[in-house]
């Protein structure tokens, strides 16, 4: 089968892969820099976007190392133009663990923002966009945006998962997922409208549309798995007289 992801290298045993479309983003950003400021623009734009994605990888490693601490295997981290994704082998359905695994991603961005704060606070008043100072300043903003954006309760983004984990301490897993997915849809629609009519960003609107469908798809997957689990539990109970534990496959943004 034709694979669109390219294997880069391993970080602490975790495979880092990049989706082929990521290079379209690099090319686009580079071209934008070139038309604005020639070679200088191209160099700093490509360096800046690469640095952004190093932060994305660190965010995903935050999820991954926390998950690993709970004995969860990580199959890979995939980078796409819209962000990163850590794929877990299986995840125990424990709200507290899911909560901490999810929180660890945005927490990395806030730690990075805190580290970048000091150099930015000591910069001169005017900084040139295509410079080292410009890069550090943009990285600070990017980490703040990444941290905050990921906390918006849009399922299946981190914020939606945090909401689901909190709800799951009170409600059954499927019901918690349903509520989180419904809240997520409302926020996703608000996101689409804000992007279209306030920020004038078609790309941003498309991103929220994608999230809207991804949230619904994941809710359906949980529902299907729940039905399968119930079926197998019934079958096994008939034979062994006790319910089995079955881990679920999970993917987190
Ligand atoms: Zn995340």
């Amino acid at each position: 089968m034709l694979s669109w992801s390219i294997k880069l290298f391993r970080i602490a045993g975790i495979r880092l892969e990049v989706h082929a479309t990521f290079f379209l983003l690099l090319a686009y950003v580079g071209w934008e820099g070139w038309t604005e400021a020639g070679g200088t623009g191209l160099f700093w734009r490509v360096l800046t976007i690469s640095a952004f994605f190093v932060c994305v990888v660190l965010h995903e490693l935050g999820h991954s190392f926390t998950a690993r601490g709970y004995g969860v295997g990580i199959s890979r981290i995939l980078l796409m133009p819209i962000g990163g994704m850590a794929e877990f082998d299986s995840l125990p359905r424990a709200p507290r663990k899911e909560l901490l695994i999810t929180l660890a991603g945005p927490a990395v961005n806030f730690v990075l923002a805190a580290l970048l704060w000091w150099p930015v606070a000591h910069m001169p008043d005017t900084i040139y966009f295509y410079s080292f100072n410009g890069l550090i300043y943009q990285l600070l903003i990017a980490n703040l945006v990444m941290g905050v954006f990921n906390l918006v309760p849009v399922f299946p983004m981190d914020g939606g998962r945090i909401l689901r984990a909190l709800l799951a301490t009170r409600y059954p897993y499927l019901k918690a997922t349903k509520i989180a997915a419904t809240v997520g849809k409302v926020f996703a629609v608000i996101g689409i409208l804000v992007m279209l009519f306030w920020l004038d960003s078609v790309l941003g609107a498309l991103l929220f549309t994608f999230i809207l469908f991804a949230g619904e798809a994941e809710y359906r997957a949980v529902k299907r798995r729940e039905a399968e689990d119930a079926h197998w539990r019934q079958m096994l109970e008939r034979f062994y007289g006790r319910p089995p534990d079955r881990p679920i496959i999970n993917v987190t943004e």
Side-chain angles (χ1 to χ4, degrees):
M1 207 180 81
L2 185 68
S3 170
W4 286 93
S5 58
I6 299 147
K7 292 184 185 88
L8 292 184
F9 45 82
R10 282 175 183 272
I11 307 165
I14 301 164
R15 211 167 69 229
L16 180 65
E17 292 185 13
V18 57
H19 198 265
T21 50
F22 178 80
F23 295 101
L24 287 177
L25 177 76
L26 268 190
Y28 174 74
V29 167
W31 173 78
E32 231 180 21
W34 176 265
T35 53
E36 263 177 38
T40 313
L42 177 110
F43 173 77
W44 285 106
R45 283 285 183 130
V46 170
L47 191 67
T48 306
I49 195 82
S50 305
F52 283 175
F53 275 87
V54 169
C55 296
V56 172
V57 172
L58 292 172
H59 171 115
E60 299 306 333
L61 285 175
H63 290 308
S64 305
F65 287 145
T66 315
R68 191 182 266 179
Y70 289 123
V72 177
I74 300 104
S75 47
R76 63 170 178 171
I77 289 173
L78 177 65
L79 290 181
M80 295 165 291
I82 56 162
M85 193 170 78
E87 283 180 6
F88 300 142
D89 293 341
S90 64
L91 203 64
R93 262 184 212 181
R96 212 182 79 89
K97 289 179 188 174
E98 192 177 13
L99 183 68
L100 290 176
I101 291 168
T102 313
L103 277 173
V108 167
N109 294 117
F110 290 122
V111 168
L112 288 171
L115 291 174
L116 292 163
W117 198 273
W118 193 84
V120 170
H122 290 79
M123 277 178 194
D125 287 344
T126 43
I127 46 171
Y128 185 49
F129 190 69
Y130 296 126
S131 68
F132 184 70
N133 277 354
L135 170 72
I136 297 296
Y137 179 76
Q138 288 177 77
L139 274 184
L140 168 66
I141 303 296
N143 275 291
L144 286 175
V145 170
M146 235 185 275
V148 172
F149 183 74
N150 270 296
L151 290 180
V152 177
V154 183
F155 194 74
M157 275 178 22
D158 289 344
R161 283 177 194 285
I162 291 166
L163 178 64
R164 196 245 313 258
L166 291 173
L167 287 165
T169 58
R170 227 166 242 273
Y171 302 106
Y173 196 74
L174 184 62
K175 190 176 179 190
T177 308
K178 190 178 171 66
I179 301 172
T182 308
V183 172
K185 275 180 208 166
V186 174
F187 273 94
V189 170
I190 294 172
I192 293 170
L193 295 175
V194 167
M195 285 296 170
L196 275 184
F197 299 108
W198 193 43
L199 296 177
D200 220 10
S201 166
V202 177
L203 244 122
L206 279 175
L207 179 64
F208 273 107
T209 310
F210 171 77
I211 293 167
L212 186 73
F213 284 103
E216 176 65 19
E218 182 153 342
Y219 166 64
R220 280 176 192 216
V222 169
K223 200 171 158 184
R224 203 164 46 235
R225 225 145 38 207
E226 200 86 353
E228 275 171 22
D229 275 1
H231 174 76
W232 283 106
R233 199 159 283 152
Q234 248 180 5
M235 294 277 284
L236 286 162
E237 261 177 322
R238 207 167 290 164
F239 287 108
Y240 301 107
R242 69 175 178 86
D245 291 317
R246 182 166 168 264
I248 62 157
I249 303 296
N250 212 326
V251 169
T252 187
E253 292 256 333

